[in-house]
Amino acid sequence: MNRRALLAFALVSTLAIPAAAQENPATFDTLLDEAESLAPLETVIVSRYGEIVAERGYRGNSVTDPTNIKSASKSIVSALVGIAIDKGVLEGPDQKIAPLLADDLPDDADPRVHDITIGHLLSMQAGLGRTSGGNYGRWVSSRNWVRAALAMPFDDEPGGRMLYSTGSTHLLSAILTRQTGRSTLELARDWLGPLDGFSIGSWERDPQGIYLGGNQMAMTPRSLAAFGELYRNGGETPDGERLVSAEWIETSWRPRTNSRFNGDGYGYGWFLREIAGAKVVYGWGYGGQMLYVVPELDLTVVMTSDEASPSARSGHRNDLHGLLGEIIEAARRAES
């Protein structure tokens, strides 16, 4: 089985686990013991070559209990869009969204709405004003979240700078629902369900019953790790069943813009940066819900945190990046 990983960076991993790479579990265990000092941190899972080598739950939390993964769910919505394209449900990233959401277009919609593509929504380059941050509460208080997102004033041209907005991924959820006649949750359970360990628990819906694309999704840390492993393994399950095309993973992990939050690259639902000298792709949710994939080291790491505590301005996100850096260095030492 070909264990292709970060195709965007042209990295390929091998099937066999080198003898020199057999981890001393205590190395990772020590790091995870010390990580308990990061007060908002609730769980950590470290997986190499498809096997969990260390995991922890702190302050009464468990890796098997559902948690709100917040915006890390945007990576999952991206996967569903990729699968829909492969199945012919959607044409591709260049497909215009206006015809797909015609019933919800405001009567006085800005003409630029007709230039927005599926790819623009995935990369947060729709140009529409943000429905995240200070606008989030007003947006989810509206009677029609899809229409409200499409009615936001344009802050840039479609394809312009990154404007991080949960409304963009919610529009993708609405598109998937309209094009298939099935809920996004049903699609996720069908299309990703063959992945052992993958499951989605509760998930918030809008007033029209559309599942919230890119937020308020409950998953266990182990389930999130299983999803990360699917991408690390090039879209195949451990049994060799293909769920996501390798081409879609390459497309998703190709940097298209940069985050205004931290300058990191952003693809289709994934952030990209270098940590401890390694190229890393990651999903990030409010509070510090992190899914890291480090293909060159066959490494997948999940970290979940208190969902009520901001992770960016508090510095907690940087602490989590630092912890990942220590895990990366430990993985390298295991191979030396």
Side-chain angles (χ1 to χ4, degrees):
M1 179 175 61
N2 185 2
R3 299 174 75 86
R4 289 178 297 176
L6 186 48
L7 300 174
F9 299 127
L11 297 171
V12 180
S13 61
T14 58
L15 174 61
I17 303 176
Q22 304 300 320
E23 280 79 12
N24 174 4
T27 301
F28 295 111
D29 284 343
T30 299
L31 289 175
L32 268 55
D33 287 344
E34 295 172 350
E36 187 171 9
S37 64
L38 302 177
L41 188 62
E42 294 183 346
T43 69
V44 180
I45 298 175
V46 180
S47 176
R48 289 208 75 192
Y49 305 105
E51 298 292 336
I52 293 175
V53 295
E55 59 183 11
R56 286 288 186 284
Y58 308 105
R59 290 167 280 278
N61 295 287
S62 170
V63 296
T64 58
D65 290 338
T67 189
N68 188 343
I69 66 170
K70 295 290 189 177
S71 287
S73 58
K74 290 178 171 65
S75 302
I76 294 169
V77 172
S78 173
L80 296 178
V81 171
I83 296 170
I85 292 171
D86 290 338
K87 289 180 177 293
V89 174
L90 298 175
E91 296 173 7
D94 294 331
Q95 185 175 6
K96 302 293 179 62
I97 70 164
L100 305 177
L101 298 171
D103 291 343
D104 285 309
L105 286 178
D107 294 335
D108 59 348
D110 187 304
R112 287 175 289 183
V113 77
H114 296 278
D115 296 327
I116 301 173
T117 66
I118 287 173
H120 291 151
L121 296 179
L122 286 164
S123 62
M124 300 293 173
Q125 294 176 284
L128 292 166
R130 300 175 62 238
T131 57
S132 294
N135 293 328
Y136 184 80
R138 178 166 57 90
W139 175 57
V140 296
S141 296
S142 68
R143 290 184 291 180
N144 185 320
W145 298 0
V146 172
R147 183 180 291 265
L150 291 168
M152 293 295 290
F154 276 79
D155 289 340
D156 203 343
E157 299 299 316
R161 73 184 189 278
M162 181 180 183
L163 295 167
Y164 189 88
S165 178
T166 296
S168 287
T169 32
H170 188 60
L171 293 179
L172 292 169
S173 181
I175 288 169
L176 289 168
T177 301
R178 304 275 168 79
Q179 292 301 108
T180 63
R182 303 167 68 190
S183 75
T184 319
L185 178 58
E186 184 181 356
L187 293 175
R189 289 174 171 169
D190 181 8
W191 293 350
L192 296 173
L195 177 62
D196 187 36
F198 178 86
S199 65
I200 296 174
S202 61
W203 192 1
E204 187 174 333
R205 291 189 284 180
D206 74 7
Q208 285 66 48
I210 297 169
Y211 284 94
L212 175 50
N215 200 7
Q216 304 300 92
M217 177 190 289
M219 290 179 66
T220 69
R222 282 209 186 148
S223 180
L224 190 57
F227 175 74
E229 276 294 295
L230 175 69
Y231 265 59
R232 185 198 64 79
N233 203 39
E236 292 185 351
T237 70
D239 296 330
E241 182 177 358
R242 178 162 298 285
L243 302 183
V244 182
S245 71
E247 291 75 17
W248 182 251
I249 296 176
E250 177 183 4
T251 297
S252 300
W253 286 355
R254 185 181 305 145
R256 299 172 186 281
T257 186
N258 292 94
S259 169
R260 73 179 185 89
F261 299 122
N262 53 19
D264 288 355
Y266 195 75
Y268 284 167
W270 293 85
F271 291 91
L272 307 97
R273 72 175 292 147
E274 188 172 289
I275 296 178
K279 291 174 180 175
V280 177
V281 290
Y282 69 97
W284 167 31
Y286 184 87
Q289 324 313 322
M290 314 300 293
L291 169 59
Y292 295 106
V293 183
V294 191
E296 66 190 78
L297 292 170
D298 294 286
L299 180 67
T300 300
V301 178
V302 166
M303 303 179 193
T304 65
S305 306
D306 179 2
E307 66 176 80
S309 300
S311 61
R313 62 177 179 267
S314 69
H316 181 58
R317 181 198 60 206
N318 292 338
D319 290 339
L320 299 181
H321 287 346
L323 175 57
L324 178 68
E326 293 177 349
I327 292 170
I328 288 172
E329 294 292 357
R332 287 200 183 104
R333 286 195 299 272
E335 294 182 339
S336 61

